[in-house]
Amino acid sequence: MTTDATVKARNAASLGRVRRSAAVDATAVVIILAAAALLYVLFPGSLALFTRMVAIMMLALSLDLVTGFAGIATLGHAALFGAGAYAAGILASKFGFTDPFAMLGVGAVAGALAGIVSSVVILRGRGLGQLVLSIAIVQLAHEAANKLSAWTGGSDGLSGIAPAPIFGLYRFDLWGRTAFILAVALLVVVFVLLRVIIRSPFGMLCRGIKQDPVRVRAMGAPVYGTLVKLYAIAGAVAGLGGALSAVATKVVGLDSLSFTLSAEALVMLVLGGVGKLFGALIGTFVFIWFEHLVAAINPFHWLTIVGVMLIVVVLFEPRGLTGAAEALWTRARGGRR
Amino acid sequence: MQTVLSIAADAVAYGMVLFVISIGLSVTMGLMKVVNLAHGAFAMMGGYIAAFATHQLGVPFGVAIVAAVAGTVLAAIPVERVLYRPIYGAPELTQVLMTIGITFVIIGIANYAMGPSMKTIPLPTILEGPVDIGFRSIAAHKLFAVATGLVVAAAAWLVIERTAFGVKLRASVDNATMAAALGVRTKVVYAVSFAAAVGLAALGGVVGAQLLPIEPYYALRYMVTFLVVVSVGGAGSIPGALLACLLLGAVETTGRYLMPEFGEFFFYLAVIAIVCVFPHGLLGRRG
């Protein structure tokens, strides 16, 4: 028997949860904006680097949806990022549609389509097969982009992208100020949307599938369809990131469609912490910042450091930087949760 | 016809090199269920040791092969103890991350110790010249690679099908817990087969150095190829690995001969097609 009082209490509790997670989201948005403002003021000469960071953050966020929430290990996620980048680039350089929002929109759509196609292929496999399929997809896309050089510029990269001013007012300046502000605005919107999505019943279903797909199917919920949908969303986010990098850097290179970028995105995500969305942001930031510092000295040292970092994370802190920070925070508050 | 035979000869040589390197990976993946991305790094290590032994120490080719295999196995044992043990039975993502990490570190060390340039392993005179095999002449080292592949295949088959160790190995592949309950010391089986797998990788790295040149990014460049061979053939299946190597060697070599501008496009297309149709590999279990 469910009495009126318990229903009321339950409603109040769920309302409290919603309020609390809304507060967390608001805090996160404030932190992102504050960090962006700080970077803007302190490093006005490195805004191009930060814009690139934001674009890669979208890729890491997208990977977190697939890997962190649905448990699909993939080493081919850059295919979605590259699809968005090339779609936006080709739209601008070959068809002359240079409105930045049109480019971003087309990039997101292309990413979503690439996501659906790759999910159909990747979900055919299990375990090792799945991993190999994901690698094969990104390699295939890479070779195809290399071959179709009339459209993609091949190994020279796609150039001649000249985005029009935003709203016809704000030109993309030499210092990358406009691009950076656009990037941060997009990041905030995407981040909040993704937080809403993962809290929705759909997000819960994805997490259920990660834990036990057989049981989810037994309950009558569609597993395959849900994963394809999730992949479409992830693809849109990654494609948006790719389009953003095309808009900001005005070139698209084959490296945006590479196995290396896919593997790096996974490293960033794991470094930050899987399954939390915050981890994708922090991991990407730390990774690219360090890469910028160390790779300038010697790329092989950088590779060694990444390797050691991965081993250390796996052995000692599987939850990544955000997990370590959470543990510290809990301990600082006297071990209570 | 001439072209077809030429392609076939090169494809078999390439496929056999792939086989020597990836057979160990296939067995250990079937046995320990570890997605091991660092396998190529061990092959590269073998190549480097052989290059060092022949150039710096001036030892003959045969001794260099033995040194490469022994050195790589010795180096791999502590790695298995410290870094692989914790990831047995862990989720795939963890295994991928750990073994990619190991690969990166080995690449960094290889570059630091040996420099970024490509290393050659000088062949003995008997393997240097071309050999006439009727319809065309083929480099002797390719024939040597094919012969090595055949010997390795036969030896692996003998060990697994005809020895007491093979029985324990097969039992552990089928059901490790049950095998342990029946008195098989699975840890020993794991360690021995890991060592054997690494040794074979090193052997393949040396024998195939003419086809897959030794340089620091070797481990990353061919990592995918070896994984692909295992997943196409089916983890744990020797005939599957052999079939996959010959098939993929044929696809890759044909593509290079006839449509070099497509690069590895057809190779990956074939991989997607095969894995989609056979999710557990051509001759894998649980199919």
Side-chain angles (χ1 to χ4, degrees), chain B residues 45-119:
Chain B
M45 207 189 273
Y48 269 116
I49 294 176
F52 181 80
T54 46
H55 280 292
Q56 259 81 359
L57 307 178
V59 302
F61 187 67
V63 180
I65 290 184
V66 175
V69 173
T72 311
V73 170
L74 278 182
I77 287 171
V79 175
E80 197 264 347
R81 276 282 162 100
V82 178
L83 299 179
Y84 278 82
R85 289 267 166 98
I87 58 168
Y88 292 152
E92 251 159 62
L93 182 64
T94 313
Q95 300 176 340
V96 166
L97 294 168
M98 174 61 101
T99 52
I100 283 195
I102 295 171
T103 309
F104 283 177
V105 171
I106 293 181
I107 292 176
I109 294 174
N111 173 65
Y112 184 76
M114 307 293 282
S117 63
M118 201 178 276
K119 289 279 177 281

Side-chain angles (χ1 to χ4, degrees), chain A residues 67 121 124 127-128 131-133 135-136 139-140 143-144 147 259 270 300 303-304 306-308 310-311 314-315, chain B residues 29 35 83 92-94 96-98 101 104-105 107-108 111 223-224 231 261-262 264-265 268-269 272 275-276:
Chain A
T67 302
V121 174
R124 284 283 309 166
L128 174 65
L131 203 65
V132 165
L133 282 175
I135 297 173
Q139 299 280 37
L140 196 65
E143 295 293 340
K147 181 73 187 81
F259 169 69
V270 169
F300 284 100
L303 215 53
T304 315
V306 173
V308 171
L310 274 174
I311 294 174
V314 170
L315 285 183
Chain B
M29 270 196 192
V35 181
L83 299 179
E92 251 159 62
L93 182 64
T94 313
V96 166
L97 294 168
M98 174 61 101
F104 283 177
V105 171
I107 292 176
N111 173 65
M223 168 169 90
V224 177
S231 72
E261 72 276 14
F262 276 95
E264 297 188 305
F265 186 82
Y268 287 109
L269 203 60
I272 291 181
V275 180
C276 276

Side-chain angles (χ1 to χ4, degrees), chain B residues 251-275:
Chain B
V251 172
E252 166 106 18
T253 312
T254 313
R256 282 227 184 109
Y257 263 84
L258 303 181
M259 285 160 288
E261 72 276 14
F262 276 95
E264 297 188 305
F265 186 82
F266 291 105
F267 180 79
Y268 287 109
L269 203 60
V271 169
I272 291 181
I274 295 173
V275 180

Side-chain angles (χ1 to χ4, degrees), chain A residues 188-202:
Chain A
V188 168
V189 172
V190 166
F191 183 77
V192 172
L193 272 180
L194 289 186
R195 290 281 298 177
V196 170
I197 289 175
I198 62 167
R199 277 203 303 269
S200 69
F202 173 77

